[in-house]
Amino acid sequence: MTAHPDPLTRILALELANGCRDDVVIGGLSAFLLHWRATAATTVPAAAVDAIARALGEYAALSPADRKRRIAAAQLALRPSSAAGPAAAPVADAAPSTPTHPRRATTQPRQATPTPSAAPTRPPIGAGPPERGVDQGALDASVTTLSGVGAKLRADLERLGLRTVRDVLFHAPLRYRDFSRQVPIARVRPGDEVTIGARVVEVRRAPGKAVRSVLTIVVADDTGRLALTFFNQPYLANELRVGRAIVASGRAEVVGGRIGLASPEWEPAASAGTHTGRVVPIYPLVAGLGQRTLRRIIAAAVAQHADAVGDPVPSAVRAAEGLLGRAEAVRALHLGASLAEVERGRARLAFDELLALQLWARRRRLARAAVLAPDLSAGRPLQRAFIAQLPFTLTDAQERVVAEIEADLCAASPMSRLLQGDVGSGKTAVAGAAAVLCAGAGFQAAIMAPTELLADQHLRSLAPRLEAIGFERFEPDLARAITHDPAPDATPEHVDGRTLRYARLVGGMKPSEKAAVAEALGRGAIDIVFGTHALIQDRVAFARLGLAVIDEQHRFGVLQRSTLAGAADGPTPHTLIMTATPIPRTLAHVLNADLEQSVIDRLPPGRQPIRTLWLKPDERARAYAFVRQRIGQGEQAFIVCPLVEESERIDSPAATTLHERLQGSVFPDLHVGLLHGRMRPSEKEAVMADFQRGAIQILVATTVIEVGIDVPNATVMLIDGADRFGLAQLHQLRGRVGRGRAESFCLLLADDPSRTAAERLQAVAATSDGLALAERDLALRGPGDYFGTVQAGVIDRFRFARIVGDPGPLASAARVAAAVLARDPALALAEHEALRAAADAFAAGAERA
Ligand code: ADP
Ligand code: MG
């Protein structure tokens, strides 16, 4: 019944605000879009989804100007057709415009708002419990109860998502300008943010056309004169008359050889203090609503109602954690006297958000602990056998992680664990060990990957290891031959009595084969199945699924949570999610707070670090010569295709052209293969197999290879058009080499990198540590921006919390949440009512993501 702004709305706004660098979403906008399309159906009409997909397809390949155009087209398509209303971009502070989003004015508005999206519509978390002598009802009253807010303003505020007085109190400033420094005019220096108190001595109107009217007001104090320049506000001449005492704030600039303030904020001296002379908040706006108006409304609301917000955090806890009271925090947020004070206010409100997150995540874990999952301890001997016959010894990091997983799998409640490990860190062996533990205990395990190519790679690398411990491959054609297997209700004890089998199940197989595998899974005749995520999405009926391993690679920074529920009857399966996306730890703990985390933080021994070289555009020939030299030594190379603008929907034309050129004139004597997204799975597989066994020496590929291909003999990765890839993507691509013992190289070619692209290339060339790059990326982009990078209800609930390197605030929230839940796990006590509401509201957003 309500039109919720789609998460894409906010992402597009951020992308625009960030200069269309395609780095607002981990993996790039195109990758995000694939995921988005799968979930958008509920919020966006199908035709619009298609239009958006067309507009943003191949986004990474576009020039910045084209990117802007395409975003505009996508924003248009995103907008509910009824709301031909406010435009998104042109508002001064680039506040994301939000479609009207009616919200019921209930007594618990935060719970009624299921929008995991645009900032202005998000509800405050945890309003306080009623406090004696304070009128709570006033907070839930309409904005029209604020003085000076009539129907027109009510409508404007509503477009910002502000319906009640409470909404107004928690409207988060985007940033601040510190105008608290008041100086005599003689002491004004260019570049300073200053406030002056002066009298108007002269009014000058620029003569001529009214295209851009310029009004210059000369003011003076005892120490000197200064010009204030206003553009397109000719009516100000009526207010800023000669003789009037005013206060003006702004950044001092030199205009026409003289110092002045351009477009300053100003107020009559008699009533100054809202827009000048203090730390002035800059709020998100919508078209038609001015900054000054909003500031005035909010300041008045704070003065009148801040005390009513109450505080769900007991004062003893506040004292222990060094937090402001909530009312104080609201006052500081909007009216703080210094940036430090404002920051303390924000920190307190951020704490409330982190506390809600923690309560949500911890209660989710508690709930999970009460659910029954298979205890897989019986598989330990088989797991030991599996590990013993691997062709390498597990690294300490792998061993630790295997033990963490094993402990979870041998408990009777479902595991929900995230395994992070940089590319090449050896996650496959860990997944194999978990799957074998499961099979050995008589349950089925599914190992899933985002693409068939990757599914097959898991299969290729684990099949020999499984066969070494007695597994057989299940061949669909032989399905009939093994129908004499034990009944599907076989108990673990029977495992020893029959042959364990593994199988492959992917979309590209013949329907009859797929049916045979699915049938055998349903009958319990297959113990480990390798496939794509479709395995789960198609709801293949497993006889007794015990473990689902999901290799997400780097597709999303945030994991989808709900897909696995209901895949099996009976006990809930364990889940292990693997990702190669390096996420800074603090961020990971927020993004996936409800998951246990394991990290493989060391690469297997003997790896040569990958040497990354950023070449000049005219060094292409040198790069090719280098490739040739390595191939002369019996090694292999990837050449990643530049993303080109002409490429329509897909990357294949560019890859095909490059392949022709390289095979035809650069490396006519070598075998140059081609791999792109348009090829049929069987073709891709054949090419990969040829590359793997060395029949192809150079593989020209699009980013289809970026996920998890493992060819140890490949030692050179040449990335053409490297400036068009994001940081994470470059790092992922580079991870395709350096998997064997030979020294490996990544060569970056960029024709004309922008400044930000150059920064990226520099960073990638400087370090090979994915986590360090991620931290750096986080730092480069600043804390606020990072939340735009991920689509997740969890983060979308945040208006005040920021996650940077500092784990302090999170730890503090975790501490408090643990203490609260230890005493009152259901949050049933009256004193925890507000906390429970906050956690519930959080859950409503997070679990929808
Ligand atoms: P990823 O974490 O990217 O999935 P893989 O599991 O594909 O990494 O492992 C990368 C390569 O490292 C593979 O060739 C694998 O056989 C090898 N490998 C994994 N663990 C070890 C180890 N402990 N010692 C040596 N090589 C290992
Ligand atoms: Mg892998």
Side-chain angles (χ1 to χ4, degrees):
M1 108 212 147
T2 50
H4 307 306
D6 188 274
L8 188 60
T9 310
R10 177 142 184 271
I11 290 196
L12 292 180
L14 274 157
E15 176 70 7
L16 269 181
N18 273 8
C20 298
R21 292 179 304 175
D22 199 22
D23 56 4
V24 148
V25 191
I26 293 173
L29 212 51
S30 312
F32 173 74
L33 207 67
L34 289 179
H35 160 66
W36 176 80
R37 283 185 78 160
T39 56
T42 53
T43 43
V44 182
V49 172
D50 287 345
I52 289 160
R54 269 196 309 279
L56 299 180
E58 290 301 286
Y59 181 82
L62 301 172
S63 68
D66 281 342
R67 286 178 177 182
K68 261 187 213 154
R69 273 193 288 278
R70 297 290 185 87
I71 287 187
Q75 284 177 326
L76 207 67
L78 260 181
R79 210 164 295 156
S81 48
S82 53
V91 180
D93 290 300
S97 99
T98 35
T100 308
H101 170 209
R103 185 199 294 167
R104 282 175 295 143
T106 67
T107 45
Q108 293 200 332
R110 68 213 75 79
Q111 181 189 301
T113 306
T115 306
S117 182
T121 59
R122 270 177 265 142
I125 285 175
E131 282 183 2
R132 242 160 282 126
V134 191
D135 182 6
Q136 274 280 303
L139 291 184
D140 297 314
S142 162
V143 291
T144 50
T145 58
L146 295 169
S147 74
V149 179
K152 152 84 169 82
L153 266 178
R154 190 192 61 79
D156 289 339
L157 291 171
E158 175 147 346
R159 283 188 293 126
L160 261 184
L162 310 182
R163 278 164 200 83
T164 64
V165 172
R166 187 196 309 278
D167 295 340
V168 170
L169 293 180
F170 288 93
H171 189 52
L174 285 172
R175 58 193 171 87
Y176 298 85
R177 293 187 74 177
D178 186 354
F179 292 145
S180 59
R181 196 167 82 93
Q182 178 147 1
V183 296
I185 287 177
R187 297 243 311 273
V188 174
R189 299 285 170 265
D192 288 355
E193 296 252 67
V194 292
T195 295
I196 53 158
R199 212 168 271 283
V200 177
V201 294
E202 190 187 340
V203 177
R204 281 189 235 136
R205 253 169 287 233
K209 298 178 296 243
V211 177
R212 189 163 194 238
S213 89
V214 180
L215 178 68
T216 304
I217 307 288
V218 180
V219 296
D221 65 7
D222 295 342
T223 69
R225 289 159 70 97
L226 185 101
L228 311 178
T229 321
F230 297 90
F231 303 100
N232 295 325
Q233 290 167 280
Y235 48 83
L236 285 182
N238 301 326
E239 297 184 51
L240 292 164
R241 293 172 188 283
V242 171
R244 186 151 196 207
I246 64 164
V247 176
S249 293
R251 180 179 297 278
E253 293 168 19
V254 178
V255 186
R258 299 182 55 181
I259 200 161
L261 306 180
S263 307
E265 295 271 6
W266 72 277
E267 289 169 290
S271 60
T274 303
H275 313 297
T276 64
R278 64 167 182 133
V279 173
V280 174
I282 313 286
Y283 294 103
L285 298 172
V286 287
L289 179 61
Q291 192 67 252
R292 288 169 77 97
T293 308
L294 189 56
R295 225 177 257 150
R296 182 177 52 70
I297 294 168
I298 292 178
V302 170
Q304 204 181 336
H305 295 291
D307 282 330
V309 299
D311 199 328
V313 179
S315 58
V317 175
R318 291 200 307 257
E321 304 293 331
L323 299 165
L324 289 184
R326 203 167 149 82
E328 263 178 291
V330 167
R331 267 192 295 271
L333 184 75
H334 300 289
L335 306 173
S338 64
L339 289 175
E341 192 177 327
V342 161
E343 171 54 26
R344 286 195 74 199
R346 184 204 60 78
R348 163 57 210 264
L349 300 177
F351 174 86
D352 291 352
E353 293 176 338
L354 293 171
L355 181 60
L357 165 83
Q358 282 293 322
L359 288 170
W360 164 73
R362 279 162 192 270
R363 288 174 82 208
R364 216 175 134 92
R365 291 181 193 199
L366 285 174
R368 209 160 48 220
V371 170
L372 192 67
D375 173 345
L376 304 178
S377 349
R380 278 180 172 139
L382 196 65
Q383 186 186 52
R384 269 197 294 277
F386 170 84
I387 292 171
Q389 56 72 53
L390 288 172
F392 42 74
T393 346
L394 293 183
T395 61
D396 290 352
Q398 280 170 316
E399 242 173 46
R400 173 175 37 81
V401 165
V402 165
E404 285 166 1
I405 294 170
E406 186 188 323
D408 279 4
L409 295 182
C410 296
S413 58
M415 171 175 80
S416 206
R417 186 172 282 275
L418 171 66
L419 170 57
Q420 261 202 81
D422 211 344
V423 282
S425 59
K427 294 186 291 298
T428 316
V430 172
V436 166
L437 182 79
C438 177
F443 285 86
Q444 296 169 299
I447 300 186
M448 293 170 284
T451 65
E452 292 193 18
L453 217 62
L454 285 168
D456 285 342
Q457 187 172 288
H458 285 152
L459 179 92
R460 255 199 314 275
S461 83
L462 289 176
R465 315 271 66 90
L466 293 175
E467 289 178 9
I469 53 168
F471 276 76
E472 272 177 13
R473 177 155 181 163
F474 173 88
E475 299 292 351
D477 352 350
L478 303 179
R480 287 161 156 268
I482 55 168
T483 45
H484 60 267
D485 262 8
D489 59 350
T491 54
E493 292 80 67
H494 296 148
V495 169
D496 285 341
R498 70 176 177 87
T499 312
L500 292 162
R501 292 198 176 80
Y502 68 91
R504 168 177 184 262
L505 180 55
V506 298
M509 284 160 50
K510 276 191 249 151
S512 62
E513 291 179 352
K514 280 194 276 192
V517 175
E519 186 268 339
L521 282 168
R523 176 153 66 74
I526 294 171
D527 302 279
I528 298 181
V529 62
F530 294 87
T532 50
H533 295 170
L535 259 180
I536 285 301
Q537 278 135 22
D538 295 350
R539 304 212 178 264
V540 171
F542 288 83
R544 43 177 194 281
L545 184 63
L547 168 69
V549 179
I550 307 170
D551 191 349
E552 287 281 354
Q553 286 297 337
H554 71 295
R555 295 193 315 162
F556 321 114
V558 177
L559 306 162
Q560 296 193 278
R561 298 185 160 74
S562 49
T563 36
L564 287 167
D569 295 336
T572 303
H574 300 277
T575 24
L576 175 66
I577 302 166
M578 306 198 293
T579 172
T581 306
I583 311 171
R585 247 176 198 264
T586 36
L587 191 59
H589 279 292
V590 170
L591 293 180
N592 298 300
D594 60 326
L595 305 181
E596 310 297 332
Q597 319 237 352
S598 288
V599 182
I600 307 185
D601 48 11
R602 275 283 157 73
L603 294 184
R607 290 291 167 74
Q608 302 276 356
I610 302 164
R611 284 183 51 195
T612 302
L613 303 170
W614 176 18
L615 301 177
K616 299 202 180 63
D618 59 7
E619 290 181 304
R620 185 177 302 271
R622 217 187 117 203
Y624 290 154
F626 182 78
V627 167
R628 177 175 285 285
Q629 181 211 327
R630 303 306 294 195
I631 287 170
Q633 298 175 19
E635 295 163 16
Q636 291 167 282
F638 291 101
I639 298 187
V640 174
C641 182
L643 295 167
V644 289
E645 296 192 26
E646 308 87 69
S647 68
E648 259 312 323
R649 284 178 35 75
I650 195 104
D651 48 16
S652 53
T656 309
T657 314
L658 181 69
H659 174 254
E660 276 166 17
R661 190 167 66 75
L662 291 175
Q663 178 71 87
S665 50
V666 184
F667 303 109
D669 53 325
L670 301 177
H671 293 284
V672 183
L674 172 63
L675 190 71
H676 62 69
R678 268 257 171 108
M679 289 161 57
R680 270 185 280 122
S682 59
E683 292 174 321
K684 285 194 226 167
E685 204 178 332
V687 170
M688 273 319 297
D690 282 350
F691 190 60
Q692 207 125 32
R693 67 187 162 82
I696 289 174
Q697 290 148 317
I698 299 176
L699 186 59
V700 173
T702 61
T703 50
V704 293
I705 59 143
E706 92 189 75
V707 267
I709 300 299
D710 185 22
V711 181
N713 193 46
T715 57
V716 185
M717 162 68 59
L718 169 60
I719 305 175
D720 210 339
D723 51 322
R724 295 179 178 274
F725 297 94
L727 243 179
Q729 217 176 4
L730 288 170
H731 180 66
Q732 294 286 338
L733 282 168
R734 172 169 66 180
R736 299 309 109 217
V737 295
R739 301 200 143 212
R741 294 193 166 263
E743 185 173 23
S744 291
F745 299 85
C746 174
L747 310 179
L748 306 172
L749 273 174
D751 282 334
D752 182 21
S754 65
R755 203 176 53 80
T756 52
E759 250 170 44
R760 279 201 302 271
L761 296 177
Q762 200 105 57
V764 171
T767 175
S768 56
D769 179 341
L771 207 53
L773 276 177
E775 304 270 8
R776 161 123 202 210
D777 203 21
L778 181 58
L780 270 181
R781 287 193 280 190
D785 281 2
Y786 215 99
F787 297 120
T789 67
V790 284
Q791 187 252 12
V794 173
I795 289 301
D796 282 334
R797 310 303 292 176
F798 287 170
R799 281 192 285 177
F800 301 105
R802 298 172 186 153
I803 309 302
V804 254
D806 179 11
L810 197 58
S812 155
R815 217 166 23 237
V816 173
V820 167
L821 290 177
R823 198 159 63 86
D824 179 17
L827 295 177
L829 298 177
E831 66 195 272
H832 292 150
E833 197 183 314
L835 288 179
R836 193 183 65 233
D840 286 349
F842 206 94
E847 282 155 32
R848 191 173 307 99

